[in-house]
Amino acid sequence: MKTSDLFQETFLAIIANKVRSGLTILGIVIGIGSVIAMVSIGQGSAKSITDRVESLGTNLLTIMPGSQRGQMVRGGMGSATTLTLEDAEALKTISTVKTVAPTVSSRKQITIKGSNTNTSIYGIDANYFSVKSITLELGIAFSEVQYKSKNKVAIIGPTTRDTLFGENTDPVGQKIRIDGQEYTVIGVSESKGGTGMGSSDDLIYIPLGTAQQYITGSDKLSNISVEVLAADLMDSTEEAISALLLQRHNIASADSADFSIMNQADMLSAMTDMTSTLTLLLGSIAGISLIVGGIGIMNMMLTTVTERTREIGLRKAIGAKRGDISLQFLSEAVTLTFISGIIGILLGWLLSYLVSHFGGITTTISPQSVILAFGVSGAIGIIFGYYPARRAAKLNPIDALRYE
Amino acid sequence: MIECKNVSKIYQTTSVETPALKGVSFQIKDGEFVAIMGPSGSGKSTLMHILGALDTPTEGEYFLDGKNVASLSDDELADIRKNKIGFIFQSFNLLPRATVIRNVILPLVYANVVKEEREKKARQALADAGLEETQFDHLSNQLSGGQMQRVAIARALVNDPSLILADEPTGNLDTKTGDIVMGTFQKLNKEQKRTIIIITHEHDVAEYADRIIFIRDGALVEDRENEHKRLGARTK
């Protein structure tokens, strides 16, 4: 039996049972489609989280104040005020530290004529933008003079700009009121994507001195961002900073430190772990439906074998060998899964497109997930088709012909 | 040429041995038209399965064109069926959702006949079996019983087998159609010199043949020339 004959037989057999073939294909299509869509959602969110963390700056250590451990009441992270500008200055003496950017932050009500919002105010110094890899969309950064003389000038995030002034407007030169005091907008930062907590799009930057004097009213810092020279120096630098600050704060043991150091790389790997678990979870849920679809194929093929017992007997009587029969049924199963695979990939692609378009979730279809889904569908065809095919091939032609 | 030497077949279930054939011996020469007769349960179906290489005997030897079929494997038997034997079944056993021509082409597919040859051979076989050309592209389940039997005959003929085996070929047909079908067999036997063996339990049907072999309880009881040969209706 030639390959072209095999295809013809397969085609005729599938066409002969349109409804049943269609339903079987539907089962696999849903399985493969959901695997691709689920994995694309998982990988998309993994990518967006990674991108966001990376956009916040690489080689970055963030030192946050915290109350000393061992005391009766422990405040929330960042709520304590144990870091000072002198601490930040001292950190510059560590050789592996590239730049130090002390910040203070606070949430305030912002008002302009006819609009208002509530957002974070960041008091920053000249190093901040380079440490956090922030660039400006409009206007210019704070000047040396503005830092020194604690001018009331502000650079606002794009989301804040959109909220206050309307989308894509140029607010440079406009006045905003923070906590009742008037500031002049001199720039808008470039969007870095992302929403919610940690977004660098919805906030207002002002010079550090200005913030300390007019917003928080103290010389304490909210956190210190430290850029390290190279990624492999992160751990040693973290230890050096910890030792230095413990010494400056007169604390004997690292266990009772009144600050904590957050390592960007650690955060990234924690996030990555989380999202890959998510991807795995979504993928395995979808995988279950793929297996159910596979059992559907097996069920259909077994029904077909039973239903076509006489036909198998006849084919054997007119000269079909075992190999011919098993190849025919295997080919039917594989063809069904192959068709399902193609439709399933299209469906998965469509689903993930719809999810990203209407659901606002980033999705990424990786070639691996397509290959995986296709490979799995092929394997399902072969595995779940093999048993019915073998059963058909082993039928005794006499018994098969007598079968009612 | 067909030769059975002391052919026995015993069906073995877990505890009981049921002998279906008990040492049957006979010869059939090329070009003969033979009817194998016997009541149901006589072992004639078992004999047909062995003659048709669908089954092998438990004991004894069966030579088809000089080759001992008794000891062949499954796939070797399939080769014999493919190259030397044409089957016509009582219930026709056509593929219901395939066209007439497709049904006849099927044995050629398994025999690896090149595509261009298939259609030509199939049309010739259908014409030989006496089917109208207008029906070649009909689905086989749209045909009448007589037409189905003709398709089955054509399918049996298409591979140019040395032996045509028919199991109760008129069993599902009315007398008139049966007569036409038997006439076709006689024509094929006479004009194309094909060896034809029909299995039947009806005297009327057996009398179309040149020679009748009687089987009872698994043993050959009579083997004689048919003196009062009936002639079937001639087509064309």
Side-chain angles (χ1 to χ4, degrees), chain B residues 98-150:
Chain B
T99 58
V100 164
I101 195 99
R102 177 80 201 154
N103 266 288
V104 181
I105 282 175
L106 201 60
L108 300 174
V109 169
Y110 289 112
N112 278 326
V113 173
V114 289
K115 272 214 164 105
E116 301 73 50
E117 283 282 301
R118 291 180 192 165
E119 178 113 1
K120 215 179 100 200
K121 283 193 164 193
R123 285 182 176 277
Q124 183 58 49
L126 280 164
D128 287 348
L131 201 78
E132 298 293 328
E133 186 139 6
T134 51
Q135 284 156 337
F136 287 5
D137 290 317
H138 285 191
L139 288 182
S140 60
N141 54 3
Q142 295 168 344
L143 302 178
S144 71
Q147 289 167 333
M148 284 200 211
Q149 191 61 299
R150 285 173 186 284

Side-chain angles (χ1 to χ4, degrees), chain A residues 58-79:
Chain A
T58 46
N59 298 355
L60 203 63
L61 292 173
T62 307
I63 304 153
M64 309 220 274
S67 48
Q68 201 171 345
R69 266 176 232 225
Q71 290 173 349
M72 291 296 286
V73 181
R74 184 171 156 79
M77 205 189 272
S79 66

Side-chain angles (χ1 to χ4, degrees), chain A residues 32 38 49 69 127 136 143 164 182 184 272 292 323 390:
Chain A
I32 290 179
M38 293 292 193
I49 287 172
R69 266 176 232 225
N127 291 327
L136 293 186
S143 69
L164 288 175
E182 200 172 70
T184 307
T272 315
V292 172
R390 219 173 68 109

Side-chain angles (χ1 to χ4, degrees), chain A residues 1-2 4-6 8-9 12-13 16-17 307-308 310-311 313-325 328 393-398 401-402 404, chain B residues 11 45-46 49 52 54-55 74-76 78-79 81-82 85 87 89 91-98 102-103 106-107 109-110 112-115 118 155 159:
Chain A
M1 200 168 181
K2 295 191 190 97
S4 56
D5 295 322
L6 189 64
Q8 193 178 9
E9 288 289 334
L12 289 174
N17 254 314
E307 198 183 73
R308 286 157 67 189
R310 282 172 70 102
E311 179 191 326
L314 169 80
R315 284 174 188 274
K316 289 194 110 176
I318 61 174
K321 295 187 182 175
R322 278 189 184 197
D324 294 327
I325 300 290
Q328 185 189 339
K394 276 171 84 175
L395 284 173
N396 178 328
I398 303 163
L401 278 170
R402 279 204 197 119
E404 290 298 333
Chain B
Y11 288 111
S45 285
T46 308
H49 294 151
L54 284 167
D55 209 350
D74 240 32
D75 279 355
E76 287 168 323
D79 272 330
R81 295 197 289 267
K82 175 161 73 187
I85 295 164
F87 278 105
F89 299 97
S91 43
F92 322 131
N93 282 326
L94 302 178
L95 298 188
R97 292 188 205 86
R102 177 80 201 154
N103 266 288
L106 201 60
V109 169
Y110 289 112
N112 278 326
V113 173
V114 289
K115 272 214 164 105
R118 291 180 192 165
R155 186 178 60 193
N159 251 352

